[in-house]
Amino acid sequence: MSTPVTAPPALVNFTVDGRPLTAPPGTLLIDACKRAGIEIPAFCYYEGYSLQAACRMCLVEVEKMPKLQTACTLPVSEGMIVRSETEQIAKARKGTLEFLLTNHPLDCPVCDKGGECELQDMVFRYGAGESRFTEIKNHAPERQWSPVVFYDPARCILCYRCVRACNEGMGVGALGVTNRGVVSEIVPNKVDHLDCDECGACIDICPVGALTSNTYRYKTRPWEMQHVGTVCTHCSNGCKTTLGVRNDEIVRGNNRDRSGINGEFLCVKGRYGFDFTANEQRLTSPMIRLNGRLEAVSWSKALGFVAEKFKSVLAAGGRFGVAAGTHLTNEEIYYLAKFTRAGLKSSNIDHQRTGDVVTLIDALGGRQDVLATVEDLYNTKAALVIGSDLSQQHPLLAFQLRADARHHQAKIYTVTPGPVREANYSASSLEAPAGEEFAALDKLTESLKAEKELVILFGDAIKGDRVRQLVAWADGLGIPVKYVCLVDYSNSRGAVDLGATPNLLPGYQPDPAPGLSLDQILNAADLAVFWAVGANPLRGRELAAKQAFVVAQTMFLDETAQRADVVFPSASAYEKNGTVTNVTGQVQRLKAAIRTMGTKTDLEIIGLIAKEMGLATVAGVWTHDAVFKEIHKNVHGYQVPLPLLITGMAAMTQPVNGGVKVDVRVDEIRSAGDTLFTSGELGRYSKLLTSVPEYPGALYKR
Amino acid sequence: MTFSQATEKKLQDIWSRYPEGRKRSAVIPMLMYAQDEVGQVTPEMIAEVARRCEVTPLQVEEVVGYYSMLNKERMGKHHVQICTNIACLLTGGEELWQHAVKRLGIGHKQVTADGLISLEEVECAGACSWAPCVVDGYEYHHHVTIEKLDQLLDSIQKKVQ
Amino acid sequence: MFNEPHPAEVKVISKRFGLPNSASIDTYLAHEGYQAFLKAVEMTPEQIIDELKLSSLRGRGGAGFPTGMKWSFIPRDNPKPKYVVVNADESEPGTCKDRLLIENDPHQLIEGCLIAARTIGCKLGYIYIRGEYRYLIDIMDKALAEAYAHGWLGKNIKGTGLDFDLYTHSGAGAYECGEESALLESLEGKRGVPRIRPPFPAVSGLYASPTVLNNVETFCSVPAVLRMGGQAYADLGTPKNGGTRLLCVSGHVNRPGVYEVPLGFPMQKMIYEVCGGIRAGKKLKAVIPGGSSSPVLTAEECDFPMDYDNYARMKTMAGSGGMMVMDEDTDIVKVALRTMRFYAHESCGWCIPCREGTTWLRKILTRMDEGTGRRADIDLIHELAKNMLGRTFCPLGDAAAMPTIAFVEKFRDEFEARLRETVVPVTSPDQLIAIG
């Protein structure tokens, strides 16, 4: 059987304002113009969402058509002659804006959107200088729909972007339209309040100040902020977020510039969950336990104290145990792992593992191009989600699949222990308790064999030999398959990649002298030093070694810090430079947005301890640039193109296992099962996340 | 939410008219008949219709807000609708409206204190050639004069006493 | 309930109106009922459509689109189910004819639907009746039950092998649902907001399937076309304007009523003979000829044969056949205001020019009527209406703009006169605040 070769469709030729243009058939005129640098104004048109033709701003003249046409609904056709800059068009735009302003309040001086308002910009460019409207404006009072969302119906221009963003983009459908005519307004799903993801997509997409966020409302003007593009520090999806910063305070997060792997997507954590950085419980001074109580001391005293202790334990051949955090930067993890092994002469380093990346890399050993990227999830023809409530646990990945189904009719399959949102549009959604997934998968085999390709996303129920079993099963489908091993936090993946495991060196190289795993460390009665770096392993657990000297690098006085002998106040990811690796293995750059007085980055703290111990040369220079250079040079799979990183893009890593099997200790791999509204240790300190009525949320909720 | 036997039968009959997977079509007629029994559209009714028609309550809410005959506020036992659109305007509809407002002391979409009568100034009711017209509930009255309107209101008020 | 017939009428679709029990199936069957359908069963779909084309029957709902052509757009090879939908959402001000057709002869409508179903190969249809017409829904439901009982609906109709189910569907008060795509949205249980077109209902209508959607009167005319033959039906009217139609005359005439006349019937004759002239010996001032959306005609303009083409020549519309006659005492500003109040109330709110334009115009016209108009208002009304015209999402914007433009252009003097009666000069304090 031969595959028919389809020639790319011929381009359509058409003319706009005398300029000959071409575009693929089916392209909407408004998009074709945009690509050619011709602006057709529009409020309701929004790429990626359904067409409305409601705002009438995009009207253009098309030859042989008697009436003005909406460029947002008109596909280009061969020989079409379009005019967008005639007197008639100018008049139509001006007229429509004049209509729009009749009931829109002119409270721009206090409106949050002032300076970023599409209506302001349109009136400036296309509108009249004065209003002929002298009647009384319709008014309706502002409403608060949730701790996040405020709605001001008077400002609303009814472009229905929010409705579509919620319904189509998020798959939530929490917003609708009620009433009729001039008193039409947007209405939330619970009559006077919202029950939704609280993601704020509706707010960001609002072209005017009708939807505003409680976090940013009346706080500042857009031009008074600095805008810092960095990566969200909550879940593993690695969304780019642009933090609006004023006076060392983060006042908002969004990604309106559509940079990064997530485009405009962010969930409630990415948009509003930054507030933990300003929590009043934030630690701002090192502390040493004196007479049983933690007392604030100077940095030099605390560093010296720890260095002395580490040196004596090292000299005495005592046992170290190191717990690495999963929100640390790649540089911090690499540096910590290196210092632990080379400086402290120990491989007793681990982190809380949440997915079995190690076995997957091993099972796929030798294959190229089998790990899916975030972008792949938007383009794949089929995807299979196993054992994850994706919309809750991996909102960006879920968003991508939803968009893929909507735009490309991709077929989505799920096998989960309970109901998931994906079932609303999936080709098949099967429920199977954890551990019984393969029976369900067998039912899908025939359908999947008929697909052209597949991306499999699997959660922590698939680990150890079950990963190998999955790969073997997928091999049997006879179609190209790519994988995503789901992990929990912003750098859970980097922690595995860069050596924060007891038996693997950075780049999945076997450690010749494997150390203790996290559970083994916590259970080792003879441990002399326990050092938790950006991690809180003692939450709900005891350290078996009662006499161990405990050092905690942390933002808050968490359970580990409460047990600690020395506490170092560390900087959050929003206060750091460096890189992180997301769930799909894509590296992105962090950019420090603020500084919190009294804190230091974990990299600096580790470096200073090393220096105090006289081991600076062993550990190396503790700047993220220097460490990244070393990673880039030495770590297999991290030879990523630097221009991508520098320009704030995501670079795919290529991890390769050397064929060496290690004991992954499957019993220690477990996801924390965070929902959209919880975020491990960080979520506890986000007042916004804990204040929404949907908190804490639940997975597989019916 | 439960309805009288007659209404329940009607609702089920309506529901059965639409193909499988298209039950959303029943939303509007079901609301109309349910409202006739209850006297207004209530949140429970919205939830019930949503459940039966396999849509979200929000999707029903959107519809309720749109159609002028669906009222979330309770109207009078007799909802008296007076048309003042052009054909009726030309033949005295405006005067009928003013008269009713004055006599009952209530305005557009308001209800008398006893809950008996509500008034609504409606758009063209489709009785132009027999204008002016007044509609009591679903009952049309044509060629209405002030006298005839008074008789109608008298009879409504007398029926109660 | 209907007026006395007039000898000048040509009764085709209203001919059974006066019969005892005219709505019953027995009466219908005794008077040629369902014979056209049986004839249609013997014809091919192409033959039926050809007869319709020959009859030059045009849609009686407002737009006047040729019915045969509309039915011919239904794709035959589309595997989706096909639907027949009747637009009985009669709500164009001035129109009250579909009411009579359903009340007096519901089986004629059922037969029209049957023929449509047979033509396009459809098994299911709905009659969308405006919610206010509850009593008509009851009449229609009764007629449908009769038709089922007599085997004219349901499975294997009269042994023809054809299946067809037909149901009523109640609206809930929205003029906009008279627009065909908004009607379909409403029939699907949604807000009555029109759809982006193309695709048109013939290709993607109810449940995104091919749908024949016509006005009640159009469907009612179909059996007559098949019974008489397309040519004979066409010959009743003028070229390209076949047959008869119901005209609803209201306002200041001596005998308002619904009359069936051939297309091309003279307007003068309609007003002065059929309807007995203007009330109380007054003079004619103006006529709104085809429902409130049609531009007004001055007395001098009211002299032409009423067919689609001549309405167009007069720069107005045949519309839905609602003729509202106004005598010399009529206050045109009030009529203009009432018209705009209607459109502002009925605008679905989807698009900006209609939503905001109708309300703004309503506010200005209200002021003008109340005596606080300003000289600039007259031109402003005219210009704002022009700013809506042709720029809205659906025809409702045009329906609001066209009559307004005509009122101002043809009766400017009345608007000017209102300024002289102005009781409150300049702007009120409220308005000054609003300018802010």
Side-chain angles (χ1 to χ4, degrees):
Chain A
M1 199 184 85
S2 68
T3 321
V5 181
T6 42
L11 293 178
V12 172
N13 297 286
F14 59 102
T15 310
V16 180
D17 299 329
R19 276 176 64 188
L21 301 174
T22 58
T27 308
L28 293 171
L29 181 58
I30 195 167
D31 286 335
C33 287
K34 189 175 172 186
R35 266 154 229 168
I38 298 167
E39 184 184 321
I40 308 286
F43 290 112
C44 69
Y45 177 72
Y46 209 86
E47 223 176 322
Y49 293 131
S50 60
L51 304 179
Q52 314 287 289
C55 77
R56 318 306 289 173
M57 280 302 293
C58 70
L59 291 172
V60 292
E61 285 176 34
V62 181
E63 247 178 42
K64 292 185 190 140
M65 291 192 178
K67 285 171 77 173
L68 298 180
Q69 300 291 313
T70 45
C72 72
T73 58
L74 191 67
V76 294
S77 64
E78 188 63 33
M80 183 186 265
I81 297 171
V82 180
R83 275 177 282 274
S84 78
E85 295 292 347
T86 66
E87 202 178 322
Q88 190 191 8
I89 303 292
K91 222 176 144 228
R93 290 172 181 169
K94 199 164 155 180
T96 299
L97 287 168
E98 186 182 29
F99 282 137
L100 203 45
L101 289 178
T102 57
N103 283 309
H104 187 88
L106 298 180
D107 61 348
C108 312
V110 295
C111 176
D112 274 353
K113 208 73 181 187
E116 295 179 314
C117 173
E118 293 180 40
L119 179 57
Q120 273 186 339
D121 293 347
M122 290 259 208
V123 173
F124 179 77
R125 208 169 306 175
Y126 305 111
E130 58 186 42
S131 171
R132 296 178 291 180
F133 182 79
T134 58
E135 320 304 323
I136 294 171
K137 283 176 189 277
N138 287 0
H139 187 73
E142 191 185 29
R143 287 123 218 217
Q144 181 171 13
W145 283 345
S146 82
V148 172
V149 187
F150 278 73
Y151 176 62
D152 186 345
R155 287 180 188 158
C156 178
I157 63 168
L158 293 167
C159 65
Y160 318 109
R161 284 188 193 175
C162 54
V163 176
R164 287 170 285 160
C166 187
N167 193 20
E168 300 168 21
M170 301 307 300
V172 173
L175 296 175
V177 187
T178 192
N179 299 341
R180 183 169 85 193
V182 79
V183 292
S184 297
E185 54 182 54
I186 306 301
V187 63
N189 57 355
K190 296 292 166 183
V191 187
D192 61 352
H193 68 276
L194 280 164
D195 178 5
C196 67
D197 286 1
E198 305 285 357
C199 70
C202 54
I203 296 171
D204 272 6
I205 206 167
C206 181
V208 294
L211 286 160
T212 50
S213 80
N214 198 14
T215 58
Y216 177 66
R217 246 172 122 249
Y218 301 132
K219 272 256 177 80
T220 183
R221 311 301 291 162
W223 56 86
E224 290 178 331
M225 291 183 287
Q226 284 179 308
H227 304 276
V228 184
T230 187
V231 178
C232 173
T233 187
H234 290 279
C235 87
S236 62
N237 291 185
C239 293
K240 190 93 183 287
T241 178
T242 302
L243 300 175
V245 179
R246 196 185 66 166
N247 299 337
D248 256 351
E249 188 197 355
I250 305 172
V251 286
R252 76 174 187 193
N254 67 32
N255 208 40
R256 292 288 286 144
D257 63 0
R258 304 192 201 189
S259 59
I261 52 178
N262 47 312
E264 274 174 301
F265 174 83
L266 281 174
C267 74
V268 62
K269 296 175 202 171
R271 272 203 187 83
Y272 308 113
F274 53 76
D275 62 338
F276 70 88
T277 57
N279 189 299
E280 64 271 18
Q281 293 181 49
R282 191 78 192 271
L283 301 178
T284 53
S285 168
M287 292 185 286
I288 291 181
R289 190 169 297 278
L290 294 167
N291 303 321
R293 285 187 47 186
L294 285 169
E295 303 281 355
V297 296
S298 69
W299 274 96
S300 58
K301 185 160 183 194
L303 287 165
F305 186 67
V306 168
E308 281 311 310
K309 187 72 188 176
F310 279 16
K311 272 203 288 194
S312 65
V313 171
L314 190 59
R319 279 183 121 174
F320 284 86
V322 178
T326 43
H327 299 279
L328 298 176
T329 66
N330 284 329
E331 294 72 19
E332 287 167 340
I333 287 162
Y334 178 89
Y335 192 83
L336 177 65
K338 180 180 169 192
F339 176 64
T340 303
R341 288 191 168 92
L344 304 179
K345 309 284 182 205
S346 171
S347 288
N348 300 341
I349 179 170
D350 204 356
H351 66 283
Q352 178 55 56
R353 280 170 297 138
T354 50
D356 196 355
V357 181
V358 174
T359 306
L360 179 68
I361 303 289
D362 181 43
L364 298 176
R367 303 187 196 183
Q368 294 286 315
D369 225 16
V370 283
L371 296 178
T373 63
V374 169
E375 201 184 349
D376 287 337
L377 298 184
Y378 175 65
N379 292 313
T380 182
K381 293 187 170 61
L384 166 64
V385 181
I386 307 170
S388 174
D389 191 343
L390 211 65
S391 298
Q392 291 281 318
Q393 297 176 277
H394 299 278
L396 170 62
L397 308 188
F399 179 85
Q400 293 290 88
L401 291 184
R402 216 177 288 126
D404 194 17
R406 201 167 72 248
H407 293 155
H408 308 136
Q409 291 74 50
K411 294 251 227 19
I412 312 300
Y413 301 82
T414 65
V415 174
T416 55
V420 289
R421 188 180 299 168
E422 285 66 43
N424 293 335
Y425 64 90
S426 66
S428 165
S429 280
L430 302 177
E431 287 183 24
E436 294 174 27
E437 292 85 357
F438 283 97
L441 290 181
D442 284 340
K443 291 187 201 152
L444 293 176
T445 306
E446 288 312 307
S447 326
L448 292 174
K449 276 180 176 169
E451 299 292 353
K452 293 215 158 44
E453 59 179 352
L454 186 68
V455 173
I456 299 177
L457 306 95
F458 62 91
D460 66 343
I462 307 294
K463 51 189 172 184
D465 286 340
R466 308 190 77 226
V467 176
R468 295 179 209 283
Q469 192 185 344
L470 177 68
V471 172
W473 171 80
D475 286 345
L477 296 175
I479 55 170
V481 178
K482 290 186 181 184
Y483 297 85
V484 178
C485 174
L486 300 169
V487 292
D488 279 3
Y489 298 118
S490 61
N491 211 16
S492 288
R493 179 60 185 272
V496 196
D497 285 357
L498 294 164
T501 53
N503 42 19
L504 287 171
L505 300 175
Y508 298 88
Q509 302 308 301
D511 188 324
L516 301 179
S517 70
L518 186 57
D519 277 7
Q520 290 171 326
I521 291 169
L522 294 176
N523 293 331
D526 62 342
L527 202 69
V529 168
F530 182 57
W531 183 16
V533 182
N536 182 20
L538 298 188
R539 183 180 184 179
R541 299 185 69 177
E542 293 272 315
L543 188 63
K546 298 289 172 214
Q547 78 298 338
F549 178 72
V550 177
V551 178
Q553 294 178 207
T554 178
M555 284 182 270
F556 301 101
L557 198 62
D558 54 27
E559 288 82 349
T560 306
Q562 284 168 32
R563 163 68 183 81
D565 297 286
V566 180
V567 177
F568 290 111
S570 60
S572 76
Y574 296 144
E575 296 148 348
K576 286 174 182 174
N577 292 311
T579 63
V580 286
T581 307
N582 79 343
V583 63
T584 52
Q586 292 173 278
V587 187
Q588 298 180 90
R589 202 163 69 130
L590 294 181
K591 222 169 153 187
I594 53 169
R595 288 177 312 163
T596 295
M597 282 290 283
T599 67
K600 291 186 192 298
T601 67
D602 290 289
L603 184 64
E604 190 175 3
I605 299 168
I606 304 162
L608 290 171
I609 291 172
K611 172 177 163 266
E612 287 294 314
M613 290 176 72
L615 295 172
T617 48
V618 177
V621 180
W622 53 90
T623 68
H624 65 270
D625 280 347
V627 181
F628 182 76
K629 260 182 210 155
E630 200 175 322
I631 294 171
H632 190 254
K633 189 171 152 219
N634 295 342
V635 179
H636 208 95
Y638 271 73
Q639 283 70 42
V640 296
L642 294 177
L644 279 184
L645 281 186
I646 289 159
T647 52
M649 317 269 270
M652 188 65 178
T653 56
Q654 305 291 339
V656 176
N657 173 275
V660 183
K661 289 195 174 38
V662 295
D663 177 10
V664 296
R665 295 188 60 96
V666 289
D667 51 312
E668 290 190 42
I669 297 171
R670 55 183 172 268
S671 163
D674 279 306
T675 69
L676 273 175
F677 309 103
T678 64
S679 180
E681 296 304 309
L682 295 178
R684 302 162 84 184
Y685 301 97
S686 166
K687 288 179 184 168
L688 190 281
L689 288 179
T690 51
S691 74
V692 297
E694 295 86 354
Y695 173 85
L699 303 182
Y700 311 113
K701 201 168 71 174
R702 205 164 289 276
Chain B
M1 183 173 189
T2 54
F3 298 95
S4 70
Q5 237 178 348
T7 303
E8 183 57 44
K9 190 163 168 280
K10 188 82 208 174
L11 297 184
Q12 287 184 14
D13 176 38
I14 289 169
W15 190 87
S16 70
R17 293 175 187 177
Y18 307 97
E20 209 46 57
R22 306 290 189 187
K23 297 302 182 188
R24 185 176 183 174
S25 279
V27 166
I28 293 160
M30 273 172 110
L31 284 169
M32 286 288 282
Y33 284 89
Q35 175 180 260
D36 287 346
E37 174 168 318
V38 177
Q40 71 195 101
V41 176
T42 61
E44 300 74 51
M45 190 188 293
I46 289 175
E48 180 68 15
V49 170
R51 188 183 62 78
R52 294 192 188 201
C53 300
E54 296 156 20
V55 293
T56 64
L58 175 64
Q59 287 169 323
V60 178
E61 181 79 38
E62 290 184 289
V63 163
V64 173
Y66 182 87
Y67 294 94
S68 58
M69 291 181 77
L70 297 172
N71 287 309
K72 290 220 257 182
E73 307 293 328
R74 181 174 284 274
M75 289 293 118
K77 249 179 108 120
H78 285 263
H79 187 49
V80 175
Q81 302 141 68
I82 300 178
C83 174
T84 59
N85 209 304
I86 307 170
C88 288
L89 177 81
L90 295 175
T91 49
E94 184 80 32
E95 288 73 18
L96 291 178
W97 171 251
Q98 294 303 341
H99 180 75
V101 166
K102 210 167 157 193
R103 168 168 168 168
L104 297 170
I106 53 172
H108 178 66
K109 288 216 171 187
Q110 291 178 341
V111 193
T112 52
D114 56 4
L116 184 62
I117 301 174
S118 50
L119 272 184
E120 184 175 356
E121 186 183 2
V122 291
E123 297 302 348
C124 183
C128 314
S129 293
W130 315 286
C133 91
V134 171
V135 185
D136 170 18
Y138 293 112
E139 196 186 328
Y140 276 74
H141 297 264
H142 299 118
H143 298 299
V144 181
T145 57
I146 288 189
E147 292 70 39
K148 280 166 89 174
L149 176 60
D150 272 334
Q151 282 167 19
L152 172 67
L153 296 175
D154 286 345
S155 75
I156 292 172
Q157 286 170 328
K158 228 173 265 157
K159 233 188 287 175
V160 178
Q161 287 163 1
Chain C
M1 176 258 340
F2 52 94
N3 44 279
E4 286 300 310
H6 190 274
E9 284 186 80
V10 175
K11 288 189 159 283
V12 176
I13 55 172
S14 66
K15 67 177 177 184
R16 279 174 295 264
F17 280 14
L19 298 173
N21 289 325
S22 67
S24 81
I25 194 163
D26 295 333
T27 307
Y28 192 61
L29 288 169
H31 293 86
E32 304 176 308
Y34 292 109
Q35 296 309 303
F37 166 65
L38 294 180
K39 202 168 168 184
V41 174
E42 303 299 317
M43 298 163 75
T44 65
E46 289 72 21
Q47 284 171 329
I48 298 170
I49 287 169
D50 285 346
E51 283 304 315
L52 285 173
K53 285 183 175 167
L54 198 58
S55 76
S56 70
L57 172 64
R58 289 163 70 163
R60 303 293 194 234
F65 194 82
T67 306
M69 202 186 293
K70 199 171 192 178
W71 290 18
S72 73
F73 291 153
I74 299 286
R76 290 294 162 72
D77 49 355
N78 193 319
K80 287 183 172 178
K82 300 176 180 64
Y83 297 99
V84 165
V85 177
V86 180
N87 185 344
D89 190 54
E90 182 167 73
S91 16
E92 175 76 14
T95 319
C96 49
K97 63 189 176 65
D98 297 339
R99 242 183 103 177
L100 293 188
L101 289 165
I102 293 176
E103 184 170 346
N104 294 295
D105 203 352
H107 287 282
Q108 180 173 236
L109 175 58
I110 298 174
E111 187 173 8
C113 295
L114 269 169
I115 296 167
R118 190 267 170 279
T119 309
I120 64 167
C122 149
K123 294 187 185 326
L124 181 56
Y126 296 97
I127 307 170
Y128 184 106
I129 304 180
R130 67 180 293 190
E132 292 87 343
Y133 285 175
R134 173 65 65 82
Y135 83 100
L136 290 182
I137 297 178
D138 295 340
I139 290 172
M140 200 68 229
D141 280 341
K142 195 173 158 215
L144 290 168
E146 282 182 326
Y148 272 103
H150 282 74
W152 294 104
L153 285 174
K155 295 259 176 274
N156 188 19
I157 295 166
K158 294 290 168 191
T160 57
L162 299 173
D163 303 339
F164 184 55
D165 286 313
L166 185 61
Y167 301 105
T168 57
H169 177 103
S170 173
Y175 167 73
E176 182 62 5
C177 293
E179 195 279 338
E180 60 179 11
S181 66
L183 183 146
L184 291 170
E185 284 288 291
S186 182
L187 183 49
E188 290 183 8
K190 303 172 197 162
R191 295 164 62 81
V193 171
R195 296 174 177 172
I196 295 169
R197 295 179 299 164
F200 290 92
V203 175
S204 180
L206 182 63
Y207 309 136
S209 302
T211 302
V212 156
L213 203 171
N214 284 109
N215 173 254
V216 171
E217 190 183 343
T218 315
F219 277 115
C220 286
S221 303
V222 169
V225 169
L226 291 200
R227 223 168 32 234
M228 301 169 67
Q231 190 58 52
Y233 181 86
D235 290 345
L236 294 173
T238 53
K240 285 195 243 163
N241 291 266
T244 57
R245 69 176 303 179
L246 297 178
L247 289 180
C248 324
V249 188
S250 62
H252 299 143
V253 288
N254 280 310
R255 284 194 300 274
V258 178
Y259 300 96
E260 183 171 7
V261 294
L263 272 83
F265 196 82
M267 188 180 262
Q268 285 285 317
K269 194 173 170 185
M270 191 72 196
I271 297 170
Y272 291 101
E273 272 182 43
V274 177
C275 296
I278 308 302
R279 267 187 347 194
K282 299 270 185 189
K283 278 203 224 119
L284 176 66
K285 179 186 262 184
V287 172
I288 298 169
S292 67
S293 309
S294 61
V296 66
L297 298 170
T298 62
E300 300 71 49
E301 292 171 316
C302 291
D303 186 12
F304 64 93
M306 295 184 287
D307 60 26
Y308 292 97
D309 300 325
N310 275 300
Y311 282 105
R313 187 175 56 79
M314 298 306 294
K315 298 199 163 40
T316 185
M317 303 183 320
S320 54
M323 273 178 73
M324 292 176 281
V325 180
M326 297 175 270
D327 71 14
E328 57 187 314
D329 296 340
T330 307
D331 181 343
I332 292 292
V333 174
K334 249 193 194 344
V335 173
L337 165 62
R338 192 60 190 83
T339 306
M340 194 49 71
R341 273 182 57 196
F342 170 72
Y343 288 107
H345 183 259
E346 298 300 336
S347 168
C348 78
W350 186 253
C351 76
I352 294 168
C354 176
R355 179 179 74 228
E356 305 292 343
T358 52
T359 299
W360 189 358
L361 284 166
R362 188 203 67 200
K363 287 176 178 173
I364 300 172
L365 284 162
T366 304
R367 252 191 319 103
M368 195 145 240
D369 181 48
E370 286 170 351
T372 56
R374 276 164 274 158
R375 185 146 299 278
D377 285 340
I378 303 173
D379 285 336
L380 186 58
I381 292 168
H382 189 254
E383 199 189 325
L384 294 180
K386 287 231 153 166
N387 278 354
M388 289 167 60
L389 195 66
R391 297 180 193 165
T392 53
F393 183 71
C394 84
L396 195 144
D398 290 347
M402 288 185 304
T404 307
I405 292 167
F407 285 132
V408 173
E409 287 181 353
K410 295 182 183 178
F411 295 95
R412 194 180 175 99
D413 53 333
E414 293 211 20
F415 287 83
E416 303 268 359
R418 280 312 260 274
L419 294 178
R420 287 191 289 277
E421 295 161 17
T422 290
V423 286
V424 184
V426 295
T427 46
S428 73
D430 274 354
Q431 288 154 357
L432 283 174
I433 292 164
I435 297 167

